[in-house]
Amino acid sequence: MTDALPKTGLRLFNSLTRQLETFIPVHADEARVYSCGPTVYNYQHIGNMRAYVFADTLGRVLQYKGYTLTHVINITDVGHLTSDADEGEDKMERMAAREGKSAWDIARFYQEDFLRDLARLNVQPKQHPRATEFVEEMIDWGKRMADKHCYALESGLYFDVSTVQDYGRLARAVTEDGAEEIRGRIESVEGKRNAADFAIWRKTPAGETRQMEWDSPWGRGAPGWHLECSVMGEKLLGFPFDIHTGGIDHREIHHPNEIAQNQAFCGCGGLSDAENSGARMWMHNNFLVERSGKMSKSSGEFLRLQLLLDKGYHPLAYRLMCLQAHYRSELEFSWEGLGAALTRLKRMVMQVERLTDAAAGNPAHQKFAPALEKFDAAMSDDLNTAIALTALEEALAVKKVDAGIKRAVIERMDGVLGLKLFDLARTDLRIRPAAAAVTEDAIKQALTRRTAARAEKDFATSDAIRDELTAKGVEIMDGDPLGWDWKLA
Ligand code: AMP
Ligand code: ZN
């Protein structure tokens, strides 16, 4: 392997065709990727974050192969209902009501938390458009599709899935009768022509107001969730773009609906060639699960990245844990597994410490050729990160070689894996719950004590509590107009 990296030969699994395909960019030397982002009504759990570690790894591999990457991870700040099938309440409005804050503030708060988690996991900077910034464009899309593909009901504008060819083909990647399964599972809104029809625009019911609503030809209301991703993908990346990613749950409803809209938008209705589905490839990561089953935001100890940090684990140990499994395999979370990943990361960091003084040389050295070839072959084989990690360890184990050359090899591999091996010190990787023991509960308790002290004009105690929290990285926000009590500095 030389410095001139090959630009072909990357094989990726396309859920749409259910096979491995060689990546051929739509635009020469470029890769344009759209990854469905989170609905920011709550914190993300580490399962959600697996989806972004996968998307980031894909982006890094494309860059390593020499493509200039444009990568969007959107922020869904309106439109996603409690069911993916477009039924139930608006997630944002429901959380706003529960927390006594405005839906806009909720969105900002959880968006910031999400971006912080991405940075902790060393996810490279991406574009993060918010759905609420694209409402005009969504209305334009709706107008363009309305005559041929949509119909109006009292509750809004609906997309008729029978107006496009082969609706649900993506879902059939899961089961042969995927589309039928979708149809069977979705509750019906009265008047829908097909059970799988979904809302393009949801009208605010008469006599009600929503916090997030806009005027449209179909009444005052809010856009449907599926429409957002179609519109942001088209506006920011152009159709067709290269790769659309998401978790496997999106293979069943959200992405089939996006594809149906994209077909309608292209004016073709058909799916005869991949161009019409908006993206050439659709890729899906499998789930992170808990031993007890599906990961959820309500059950027991909510598995957030912050909880891992509170327990003293470095976030990159979680990134490594994700990379140890293939993205298309289910991964079971356990604290033992996370601990093992932390130990493995520490071992790598200790080996890298010996190289930090050396200036990076030329990685093209015969001693490293087998490891570099293995690494390239593994990553080219549908992102086999588990094997790529062993190639990295083999490179780390090469003896009697110039430190600068070794450094260059390890940097090249780590640039793709994103473990920050040259930035970490072994002391960062000690499990130290004591140092990280500032949990949300502890903060709230401290703030309650501080409020009581202030009520009694005991400012010494109040200041002491503030200093204690500041030392733990918690900034108290007295008199914040949005009503937040604190934030992490
Ligand atoms: P949501 O905010 O629900 O749209 O989820 C954000 C992303 O996380 C989507 O791509 C989901 O498919 C993905 N996702 C949700 N749960 C999990 C999980 N347990 N493991 C991996 N990915 C998940
Ligand atoms: Zn999406």
Side-chain angles (χ1 to χ4, degrees):
M1 189 172 164
T2 67
D3 254 329
L5 289 161
K7 289 192 179 176
T8 51
L10 174 61
R11 308 269 291 163
L12 299 170
F13 187 83
N14 185 356
S15 300
L16 199 57
T17 57
R18 279 171 275 172
Q19 56 193 15
L20 286 168
E21 291 174 5
T22 299
F23 176 78
I24 299 166
V26 174
H27 304 273
D29 301 329
E30 270 195 61
R32 302 186 186 181
V33 182
Y34 185 98
S35 301
C36 281
T39 307
V40 286
Y41 71 106
N42 200 344
Y43 296 110
Q44 301 305 304
H45 57 52
I46 54 172
N48 301 127
M49 300 316 291
R50 184 185 186 197
Y52 306 112
V53 169
F54 153 65
D56 183 56
T57 307
L58 171 66
R60 285 169 181 267
V61 169
L62 289 162
Q63 286 175 316
Y64 154 82
K65 289 286 184 188
Y67 300 106
T68 303
L69 176 70
T70 310
H71 197 161
V72 173
I73 299 180
N74 74 286
I75 302 288
T76 294
D77 57 355
V78 66
H80 193 177
L81 302 193
T82 44
S83 144
D84 283 0
D86 245 339
E87 310 289 335
E89 296 169 87
D90 185 300
K91 287 186 177 186
M92 299 297 311
E93 305 250 347
R94 190 174 70 153
M95 189 53 125
R98 194 193 291 174
E99 292 202 0
K101 300 201 163 69
S102 86
W104 298 93
D105 295 341
I106 293 280
R108 284 277 170 192
F109 180 84
Y110 291 113
Q111 174 183 332
E112 271 185 32
D113 189 82
F114 169 64
L115 297 181
R116 186 161 44 229
D117 279 358
L118 288 185
R120 284 166 166 169
L121 290 168
N122 198 24
V123 170
Q124 291 179 319
K126 316 280 184 203
Q127 290 185 41
H128 298 294
R130 282 193 300 271
T132 49
E133 294 163 350
F134 284 83
V135 175
E136 278 308 310
E137 288 86 345
M138 291 182 216
I139 293 172
D140 286 344
W141 257 66
K143 285 185 197 161
R144 180 165 164 163
M145 298 189 296
D147 286 351
K148 267 173 96 178
H149 298 278
C150 305
Y151 57 94
L153 293 179
E154 190 45 41
S155 52
L157 186 72
Y158 284 80
F159 190 95
D160 181 342
V161 299
S162 70
T163 62
V164 291
Q165 257 177 41
D166 212 5
Y167 171 76
R169 168 175 151 187
L170 181 65
R172 279 198 297 284
V174 190
T175 58
E176 271 312 309
D177 53 0
E180 281 314 310
E181 219 174 71
I182 293 176
R183 292 193 178 100
R185 238 183 313 118
I186 297 175
E187 300 163 46
S188 203
V189 166
E190 201 167 337
K192 273 212 272 190
R193 292 181 189 163
N194 312 284
D197 292 352
F198 54 90
I200 292 288
W201 190 262
R202 287 179 300 108
K203 228 162 100 180
T204 306
E208 285 181 27
T209 36
R210 286 196 187 123
Q211 293 186 32
M212 290 177 160
E213 55 177 14
W214 295 261
D215 287 321
S216 85
W218 318 288
R220 200 163 167 74
W225 171 45
H226 313 296
L227 185 58
E228 298 174 3
C229 286
S230 281
V231 171
M232 288 187 276
E234 191 267 327
K235 291 288 166 219
L236 297 170
L237 302 176
F239 278 171
F241 53 86
D242 294 296
I243 306 177
H244 196 311
T245 82
I248 42 166
D249 51 333
H250 288 350
R251 209 163 53 170
E252 294 175 51
I253 297 175
H254 183 47
H255 289 172
N257 290 354
E258 268 191 56
I259 289 173
Q261 292 166 155
N262 299 350
Q263 287 171 261
F265 181 81
C266 294
C268 50
L271 237 194
S272 49
D273 74 88
E275 318 293 302
N276 300 340
S277 68
R280 280 201 178 155
M281 285 185 164
W282 293 73
M283 293 178 70
H284 296 95
N285 64 276
N286 210 323
F287 267 15
L288 179 79
V289 295
E290 289 183 76
R291 210 158 278 173
S292 55
K294 196 173 173 247
M295 189 147 296
S296 116
K297 295 189 179 177
S298 52
S299 70
E301 207 175 30
F302 182 178
L303 274 173
R304 286 165 55 194
L305 195 61
Q306 183 62 50
L307 180 71
L308 273 47
L309 267 67
D310 288 346
K311 289 186 186 272
Y313 292 90
H314 196 281
L316 291 173
Y318 177 65
R319 183 174 177 113
L320 177 56
M321 189 181 182
C322 292
L323 297 176
Q324 289 180 156
H326 192 262
Y327 75 90
R328 283 196 285 131
S329 308
E330 201 169 85
L331 171 62
E332 184 178 290
F333 177 79
S334 71
W335 294 103
E336 300 77 34
L338 183 65
L342 185 76
T343 305
R344 188 176 184 190
L345 183 60
K346 191 152 89 183
R347 211 175 294 135
M348 291 178 190
V349 166
M350 284 160 65
Q351 285 170 294
V352 161
E353 275 172 1
R354 293 176 212 145
L355 308 173
T356 45
D357 291 337
N362 182 352
H365 186 281
Q366 72 185 56
K367 275 203 170 180
F368 289 105
L372 282 167
E373 270 164 30
K374 180 175 174 179
F375 184 87
D376 185 60
M379 283 305 202
S380 305
D381 179 19
D382 196 25
L383 316 182
N384 195 333
T385 48
I387 303 282
L389 282 166
T390 63
L392 169 69
E393 284 164 332
E394 285 166 23
L396 281 168
V398 172
K399 299 243 167 27
K400 297 201 180 106
V401 71
D402 177 77
I405 294 175
K406 191 167 183 174
R407 178 180 182 135
V409 171
I410 304 304
E411 275 182 345
R412 165 160 293 177
M413 293 181 175
D414 191 30
V416 188
L417 294 162
L419 294 171
K420 278 182 143 176
L421 295 178
F422 285 90
D423 297 328
L424 291 175
R426 66 179 84 181
T427 47
D428 297 328
L429 300 170
R430 264 188 224 131
I431 297 185
R432 43 181 167 189
V438 57
T439 62
E440 245 182 85
D441 273 353
I443 296 170
K444 284 185 182 148
Q445 280 170 24
L447 288 179
T448 308
R449 280 189 282 118
R450 182 166 174 269
T451 307
R454 277 155 67 100
E456 287 169 19
K457 300 211 174 336
D458 177 1
F459 296 113
T461 303
S462 153
D463 288 349
I465 294 171
R466 170 192 281 269
D467 293 346
E468 207 178 290
L469 287 172
T470 306
K472 289 177 178 165
V474 180
E475 187 185 327
I476 299 180
M477 298 164 73
D478 286 327
D480 176 62
L482 302 182
W484 300 111
D485 301 331
W486 60 273
K487 67 173 186 183
L488 292 176

